[in-house]
Amino acid sequence: MHTLAFDGRTGASGDMILAALLAVGADPDALSPVEAALPVEYRIGETTKNGIAATTVDVLVEETNGNETAADDGHDHDHDHEHGHHDHTHDGEEHARHHGHDHSHEHDHTHAEGAGPNRAYAECREIVAEMDLPEPAEADALAIFERLGEAESRVHGTDLDATHFHEVGADDAIADIVGAALLVDDLDVARIVTTPVSTGGGEASMSHGTYPVPTPAVTYIAEGASWTLRGGPIETELLTPTGAAILAHLAEGVESLPPLSIDRVGYGAGDTSFSDHPNVLRATVGESSGGLVRDEIRVLETNVDDATPEVLGGLHERLADAGARDVSVVPTTMKKSRPGHQIRVIVKPRDVAEVARSLAAETGTLGIRETSATHRWIAERSIESVSIDVGGDSYEVSVKVASDDAGKTYDVSAEYDDCAAVAAESGAPIREVIRCAESTYRESN
């Protein structure tokens, strides 16, 4: 499966995503519908960040009668920080080339950050719909704006259609979002993934004041994403709302880079330079191998001989709440031939301390071993919904789908609780409901 993988360890913004997509082979000419619809120009260049050669993208806006085509609608909104870690201080041979033909003798241009009218969510949708975009790119761009609109409406407690964007409704943000959708369509990959995305740390200044990083809109967007956030590695804003929304719509979350036969690697640069961390977003394009995914884990074990059945019965749920990925309880024989149980817990490295503390508190054990296991091989898992017919009535049932890293499904398992509920209502045997749900999914996929 042709796969695009982002490395989220240095965060992401709209222009960094554009640059990374161009760096791994997307055609700059795919951006022409945006330049035709808005008074903007993509200027593509190159730079070096902490020794890493990277691509840059600046969105420039035409000046009219010596003034920027910017307008202030009087609204005060949440995205003044949209390019918070991009200060347009370049440290290499940037602005080396223009996209398309040379505009230098036709118009004067300036950086488009925040330029142009600040639009409502509905206005942004209209602009996208009026562009001459390929159907997949238009659908992606509209979905990204919807994620931004929903986050903004939750921040301000407004209705989605009435939500007014500030920076995210300006020309450069529209160019970032639609541009990313066009470049992804041009790359023609079957799957996009990202490792956990770093937010940075510290505080960010916005129109409503100073807020901790990640900012409110980013946290709401991440809530609906399949990838995870992590703080750091430096005290500045690394993940912008536009970057978060693009990745939330396009990318599946993975814990680490999947096995790939690599075709191309590229880096998209932000403008700011950090002393110890290259401010670049890495993108990798290649073919998935068709294997399972390596998942970093730790294994905790303890033996108990005085835990009651009630304690053991509730242990799975309590440890799962603390972060355990799997819990098994195995009968064993302990000293003086006393019957006991060995409890084994699979846990992510970051959750070891909390799960160990919960295990000790729940069982009263005096010691917990951490074994030498470092990883496991797991399937890519997703939950899908199927509609089944039982006794002439229609029911929705969830099924768990397991696939390899190339996307090939090798197992389908109906969710027992859903099937039990259908069986109770319809009078059909549970095993018949399970069989129907699983076969329905296989037939339709």
Side-chain angles (χ1 to χ4, degrees):
M1 177 182 289
H2 206 45
T3 299
L4 165 65
F6 289 109
D7 185 341
R9 284 178 289 183
T10 52
S13 63
D15 53 347
M16 293 174 75
I17 293 172
L18 287 178
L21 292 171
L22 290 168
V24 289
D27 186 354
D29 287 340
L31 298 168
S32 57
V34 180
E35 292 183 325
L38 295 173
V40 300
E41 173 194 332
Y42 294 97
R43 188 164 292 182
I44 302 164
E46 297 175 357
T47 189
T48 301
K49 295 290 185 182
N50 300 71
I52 296 179
T55 299
T56 63
V57 175
D58 280 300
V59 180
L60 306 183
V61 65
E62 294 176 6
E63 292 185 353
T64 303
N65 298 324
N67 296 314
E68 288 187 33
T69 57
D72 188 348
D73 60 3
H75 292 269
D76 211 17
H77 301 289
D78 191 32
H79 295 290
D80 284 350
H81 61 293
E82 181 58 30
H83 296 270
H85 65 301
H86 308 284
D87 63 5
H88 299 290
T89 302
H90 303 283
D91 63 353
E93 296 297 323
E94 302 206 25
H95 309 314
R97 61 191 183 275
H98 294 269
H99 160 59
H101 58 279
D102 187 355
H103 296 272
S104 59
H105 300 294
E106 300 176 23
H107 302 282
D108 291 326
H109 291 78
T110 188
H111 285 292
E113 186 172 325
N118 297 313
R119 303 174 176 93
Y121 165 71
E123 293 178 272
C124 293
R125 288 185 59 88
E126 289 176 6
I127 289 173
V128 172
E130 290 171 358
M131 291 183 181
D132 185 20
L133 303 179
E135 186 176 338
E138 179 177 332
D140 284 339
L142 292 173
I144 293 166
F145 269 113
E146 184 173 1
R147 286 181 183 268
L148 280 165
E150 289 175 345
E152 186 79 359
S153 66
R154 290 180 67 183
V155 170
H156 297 297
T158 58
D159 178 76
L160 176 60
D161 288 333
T163 295
H164 211 101
F165 293 133
H166 186 41
E167 292 285 337
V168 174
D171 287 338
D172 66 320
I174 295 175
D176 284 346
I177 292 167
V178 179
L182 286 165
L183 294 179
V184 164
D185 181 59
D186 181 72
L187 279 177
D188 193 27
V189 292
R191 184 186 184 209
I192 304 174
V193 300
T194 183
T195 59
V197 184
S198 295
T199 64
E203 298 177 332
S205 296
M206 298 179 293
S207 56
H208 295 286
T210 300
Y211 286 83
V213 171
T215 55
V218 167
T219 57
Y220 283 133
I221 291 168
E223 182 182 349
S226 67
W227 39 262
T228 57
L229 289 179
R230 66 181 185 183
I234 55 178
E235 292 293 293
T236 190
E237 183 189 28
L238 296 180
L239 180 61
T240 67
T242 296
I246 293 171
L247 291 180
H249 173 66
L250 294 176
E252 303 171 41
V254 294
E255 288 295 322
S256 59
L257 185 69
L260 291 175
S261 252
I262 296 176
D263 295 334
R264 190 159 181 176
V265 179
Y267 295 85
D271 288 337
T272 302
S273 295
F274 306 127
S275 59
D276 298 323
H277 298 275
N279 187 22
V280 293
L281 173 65
R282 182 171 65 189
T284 305
V285 171
E287 293 296 326
S288 298
S289 65
L292 298 180
V293 176
R294 181 184 173 113
D295 185 39
E296 301 301 318
I297 60 161
R298 299 293 181 267
V299 177
L300 302 178
E301 291 182 348
T302 190
N303 294 343
V304 296
D305 62 5
D306 58 354
T308 67
E310 292 81 6
V311 167
L312 295 175
L315 201 56
H316 295 75
E317 183 176 351
R318 299 299 294 273
L319 294 182
D321 289 342
R325 300 307 171 99
D326 193 26
V327 179
S328 58
V329 180
V330 181
T332 189
T333 301
M334 302 181 64
K335 63 183 179 180
K336 297 182 180 180
S337 298
R338 289 200 300 265
H341 295 86
Q342 182 182 83
I343 302 167
R344 180 174 298 160
V345 186
I346 295 176
V347 62
K348 298 295 291 180
R350 64 176 179 268
D351 297 322
V352 165
E354 185 173 352
V355 173
R357 177 68 179 84
S358 180
L359 178 57
E362 292 295 328
T363 64
T365 185
L366 301 179
I368 297 170
R369 302 178 297 279
E370 183 175 339
T371 73
S372 59
T374 60
H375 65 275
R376 60 178 177 171
W377 296 97
I378 61 172
E380 296 283 4
R381 285 164 282 187
S382 63
I383 302 296
E384 308 288 342
S385 180
V386 296
S387 179
I388 63 174
D389 183 276
V390 180
D393 294 320
S394 179
Y395 300 91
E396 293 294 319
V397 174
S398 296
V399 295
K400 184 182 295 182
V401 181
S403 59
D404 60 26
D405 67 359
K408 183 177 180 180
T409 298
Y410 68 83
D411 186 64
V412 177
S413 178
E415 289 293 325
Y416 177 82
D417 288 345
D418 286 2
C419 294
V422 172
E425 184 173 343
S426 66
I430 292 178
R431 65 191 185 95
E432 294 296 332
V433 177
I434 292 173
R435 185 182 298 121
C436 180
E438 294 173 352
S439 63
T440 298
Y441 178 84
R442 288 192 176 94
E443 290 169 3
S444 61
N445 292 272

